[in-house]
Amino acid sequence: MRLLHRASSWRSLFAHEEHPDPARLPPLLAPLRDALAELGPAPTLPEAHAWQPRLAEALMRLDLPAWRISQLISDHNDWLYRRAIQLALSEMEGQGWGAPPVPYCVIVMGSGARQESLLGPDQDNGMIIADYPDSRHTEIDGYFQVLGERFTDRLDQAGIPLCSGHVMARWPMWRKRLSEWSEQLAIWTAGRRVKRVQQANILLDFRAVHGEGTLAEALADRVARLMPQAGLFLDEMGALLDEQPVALDRFGRLSGSLDGAPHERAINLKQQAVLPLVAAVRLLSLRHGVREVDTRERLAVLVLKEALPAETSRALTAALERLQGLLLEEQCRGVRSGRGADGWVDLSRLGEDQRLLLRHDLQQIRALKRRARRG
């Protein structure tokens, strides 16, 4: 890897078992080369995860756009997942468990699936297992339960905490045979029950990170077949958008919830900007048969489906990138100060032009939510 001037080259950065050799990077990429040299050639999982803020700052110094940095952080999290799973498999084989008894696939959900991760995510993962006879359930599910427990424990020890909502492959709810996942989706999407819509919302952004990817493709096919027939489910998903207000008051002024805020000038742009945008784009995509998971790609395909005007799509894509940039800068600052990475942004740090742009972006997201509810 001599140069990283093409998108495909950037995305290959963490595609292999080992981190890139800094000696092979050109002087033009000195910030990244120096960051990799500091990490060393064989980091432990905790060391590799703790290095992510250093990676983000190096990429920011190279003037990469925030959406690209977010992709690369997601790629690095994928690397951490693959490494944790490989270590768990090796340990199990050494203890006599043998190889996996049937094909399987570990999936990530949420921002990781959309390749929009920033710093400080928790775990959102699941497992799709190839169908097998019920008579072998204790044997086969027992193997994958142990695998799920061990790789999620390793990620937790590395600094990616266990999901407080138990959305992890270690739990039967998120570890099923392919046919069971299909049945589960049919149940979740059959009506307007709020809890089922919330659970499905978690699953509907998913992507394979390890194992037999065709299992994830088969589940995506099932989603694509179900959604056009799930009108009541999609209507309830639209109603739930009201539970994710943007950080504006009724006069269109910046005003976010102060619940949990570090100070009165803070706005949680993750909860009151990014997540409402992502949820509205997801709903529109499901309504119009868009199979992509990445929010940027969904916005582009919605134009092709004539579900969004091109100008609106461009405006929302730019809004997402600006929000990611604000959050990433604030997260890096929080890590340096010892506060940690979260979703809060200090409005007093923003210039007048940034505040005006933020108001504009939030107004665009509010309008998108209305459009998504209408279909």
Coordinates of all heavy atoms in Angstrom, one line a residue, residues 78-109:
D78 N -14.6 -2.9 13.1 CA -14.8 -4.2 12.5 C -13.5 -5.1 12.7 O -13.6 -6.3 13.0 CB -15.0 -4.1 11.0 CG -16.3 -3.6 10.6 OD1 -17.2 -3.4 11.5 OD2 -16.6 -3.3 9.4
W79 N -12.4 -4.5 12.6 CA -11.1 -5.2 12.9 C -11.1 -5.7 14.3 O -10.7 -6.9 14.6 CB -9.9 -4.2 12.7 CG -8.6 -4.9 12.8 CD1 -7.8 -5.5 11.8 CD2 -7.8 -5.1 14.0 NE1 -6.7 -6.0 12.4 CE2 -6.6 -5.8 13.7 CE3 -8.0 -4.6 15.3 CZ2 -5.7 -6.1 14.7 CZ3 -7.1 -5.0 16.3 CH2 -5.9 -5.7 16.0
L80 N -11.5 -4.9 15.3 CA -11.6 -5.3 16.7 C -12.5 -6.5 16.9 O -12.2 -7.4 17.6 CB -12.0 -4.1 17.6 CG -11.0 -3.0 17.7 CD1 -11.7 -1.7 18.3 CD2 -9.8 -3.4 18.5
Y81 N -13.7 -6.4 16.2 CA -14.6 -7.5 16.3 C -14.0 -8.8 15.7 O -14.1 -9.9 16.4 CB -15.9 -7.2 15.4 CG -17.0 -6.6 16.3 CD1 -17.1 -5.3 16.6 CD2 -18.0 -7.5 16.7 CE1 -18.2 -4.8 17.3 CE2 -19.1 -7.0 17.4 CZ -19.2 -5.7 17.8 OH -20.2 -5.2 18.5
R82 N -13.4 -8.7 14.5 CA -12.8 -9.9 13.9 C -11.8 -10.5 14.8 O -11.7 -11.7 15.0 CB -12.3 -9.6 12.5 CG -13.3 -9.2 11.5 CD -12.8 -9.2 10.1 NE -11.6 -8.4 9.9 CZ -11.6 -7.1 9.5 NH1 -12.8 -6.5 9.3 NH2 -10.5 -6.4 9.4
R83 N -10.9 -9.6 15.4 CA -9.8 -10.1 16.2 C -10.4 -10.8 17.5 O -9.9 -11.8 17.9 CB -8.9 -8.9 16.6 CG -7.7 -9.3 17.4 CD -6.8 -10.2 16.6 NE -5.6 -10.5 17.4 CZ -5.0 -11.7 17.3 NH1 -5.4 -12.6 16.5 NH2 -3.9 -11.9 18.0
A84 N -11.4 -10.2 18.1 CA -12.0 -10.7 19.3 C -12.6 -12.1 19.0 O -12.5 -13.1 19.8 CB -13.1 -9.8 19.9
I85 N -13.3 -12.2 17.9 CA -13.9 -13.5 17.5 C -12.9 -14.6 17.2 O -13.0 -15.7 17.6 CB -14.8 -13.3 16.3 CG1 -16.0 -12.4 16.6 CG2 -15.4 -14.7 15.8 CD1 -16.8 -11.9 15.4
Q86 N -11.8 -14.2 16.5 CA -10.7 -15.1 16.2 C -10.1 -15.6 17.5 O -9.8 -16.8 17.6 CB -9.7 -14.5 15.3 CG -10.2 -14.3 13.9 CD -9.4 -13.2 13.1 OE1 -8.5 -12.6 13.6 NE2 -9.7 -13.0 11.8
L87 N -9.8 -14.7 18.4 CA -9.2 -15.1 19.7 C -10.2 -16.1 20.5 O -9.7 -17.1 21.1 CB -8.9 -13.9 20.6 CG -7.7 -13.0 20.1 CD1 -7.7 -11.7 20.8 CD2 -6.4 -13.8 20.2
A88 N -11.5 -15.8 20.5 CA -12.4 -16.7 21.1 C -12.5 -18.0 20.5 O -12.5 -19.1 21.2 CB -13.8 -16.0 21.1
L89 N -12.5 -18.1 19.1 CA -12.5 -19.4 18.4 C -11.2 -20.2 18.7 O -11.3 -21.4 19.0 CB -12.6 -19.1 16.9 CG -14.0 -18.7 16.4 CD1 -13.9 -18.2 15.0 CD2 -15.0 -19.8 16.6
S90 N -10.1 -19.5 18.7 CA -8.8 -20.2 19.0 C -8.8 -20.8 20.4 O -8.4 -21.9 20.7 CB -7.6 -19.3 18.9 OG -7.5 -18.9 17.5
E91 N -9.3 -20.0 21.4 CA -9.4 -20.5 22.8 C -10.3 -21.7 22.9 O -10.0 -22.7 23.6 CB -9.9 -19.3 23.7 CG -10.0 -19.7 25.1 CD -10.5 -18.5 26.0 OE1 -11.7 -18.2 25.8 OE2 -9.8 -18.0 26.7
M92 N -11.5 -21.6 22.2 CA -12.4 -22.7 22.3 C -11.9 -24.0 21.6 O -12.1 -25.1 22.2 CB -13.7 -22.3 21.6 CG -14.5 -21.2 22.4 SD -16.0 -20.7 21.5 CE -17.0 -22.1 21.5
E93 N -11.2 -23.8 20.5 CA -10.6 -25.0 19.9 C -9.5 -25.6 20.8 O -9.5 -26.9 20.9 CB -10.0 -24.6 18.5 CG -9.5 -25.8 17.7 CD -9.1 -25.4 16.3 OE1 -9.4 -24.3 15.9 OE2 -8.6 -26.3 15.6
G94 N -8.7 -24.8 21.5 CA -7.7 -25.3 22.4 C -8.3 -26.0 23.6 O -7.7 -26.9 24.2
Q95 N -9.6 -25.7 23.9 CA -10.2 -26.3 25.0 C -11.1 -27.5 24.6 O -11.8 -28.1 25.4 CB -11.1 -25.3 25.8 CG -10.3 -24.2 26.5 CD -11.1 -23.1 27.1 OE1 -12.3 -23.0 26.8 NE2 -10.5 -22.3 27.9
G96 N -11.0 -27.9 23.3 CA -11.7 -29.1 22.9 C -13.1 -28.8 22.3 O -13.8 -29.8 22.0
W97 N -13.5 -27.6 22.1 CA -14.8 -27.3 21.5 C -14.9 -27.7 20.0 O -15.9 -27.9 19.5 CB -15.2 -25.9 21.7 CG -15.6 -25.5 23.1 CD1 -14.8 -25.2 24.1 CD2 -16.9 -25.5 23.6 NE1 -15.5 -24.9 25.3 CE2 -16.8 -25.1 25.0 CE3 -18.2 -25.7 23.1 CZ2 -17.9 -25.0 25.8 CZ3 -19.3 -25.6 23.9 CH2 -19.1 -25.2 25.3
G98 N -13.7 -27.6 19.4 CA -13.7 -27.9 18.0 C -14.1 -26.7 17.1 O -14.2 -25.6 17.6
A99 N -14.2 -27.0 15.8 CA -14.6 -25.9 14.9 C -16.1 -25.6 15.0 O -16.9 -26.5 15.5 CB -14.3 -26.3 13.5
P100 N -16.6 -24.5 14.5 CA -18.1 -24.2 14.5 C -18.8 -25.3 13.8 O -18.4 -25.8 12.8 CB -18.2 -22.9 13.8 CG -16.9 -22.2 14.0 CD -15.8 -23.3 14.0
P101 N -19.9 -25.8 14.4 CA -20.6 -27.0 13.9 C -21.4 -26.8 12.6 O -21.6 -27.7 11.9 CB -21.5 -27.5 15.1 CG -21.7 -26.2 15.9 CD -20.4 -25.4 15.8
V102 N -21.8 -25.5 12.4 CA -22.5 -25.2 11.2 C -22.1 -23.8 10.8 O -21.5 -23.0 11.6 CB -24.0 -25.2 11.4 CG1 -24.5 -26.6 11.6 CG2 -24.5 -24.3 12.5
P103 N -22.3 -23.4 9.5 CA -22.0 -22.0 9.1 C -22.8 -21.0 10.0 O -23.9 -21.2 10.4 CB -22.4 -21.9 7.7 CG -22.4 -23.3 7.2 CD -22.8 -24.1 8.4
Y104 N -22.1 -19.8 10.2 CA -22.8 -18.7 11.0 C -22.2 -17.4 10.5 O -21.2 -17.3 9.8 CB -22.4 -18.9 12.5 CG -21.0 -18.7 12.8 CD1 -20.6 -17.5 13.4 CD2 -20.0 -19.6 12.5 CE1 -19.3 -17.2 13.7 CE2 -18.7 -19.3 12.8 CZ -18.3 -18.1 13.4 OH -17.0 -17.8 13.6
C105 N -22.9 -16.4 11.0 CA -22.5 -15.0 10.6 C -22.7 -14.1 11.8 O -23.8 -14.1 12.4 CB -23.3 -14.5 9.4 SG -23.0 -12.8 8.9
V106 N -21.7 -13.3 12.2 CA -21.8 -12.3 13.2 C -22.1 -11.0 12.5 O -21.5 -10.6 11.6 CB -20.5 -12.1 14.1 CG1 -20.7 -11.0 15.1 CG2 -20.2 -13.4 14.8
I107 N -23.2 -10.3 13.0 CA -23.6 -9.1 12.4 C -23.4 -7.9 13.4 O -23.5 -8.2 14.6 CB -25.1 -9.1 11.9 CG1 -26.0 -9.4 13.1 CG2 -25.2 -10.1 10.8 CD1 -27.5 -9.3 12.7
V108 N -23.1 -6.7 12.9 CA -23.2 -5.5 13.8 C -24.4 -4.7 13.3 O -24.9 -4.8 12.2 CB -21.9 -4.7 13.6 CG1 -20.7 -5.4 14.2 CG2 -21.6 -4.3 12.2
M109 N -24.9 -4.0 14.3 CA -26.1 -3.2 14.0 C -25.9 -1.7 14.4 O -24.8 -1.4 15.0 CB -27.3 -3.8 14.9 CG -27.7 -5.1 14.4 SD -28.9 -6.0 15.4 CE -27.9 -6.8 16.6

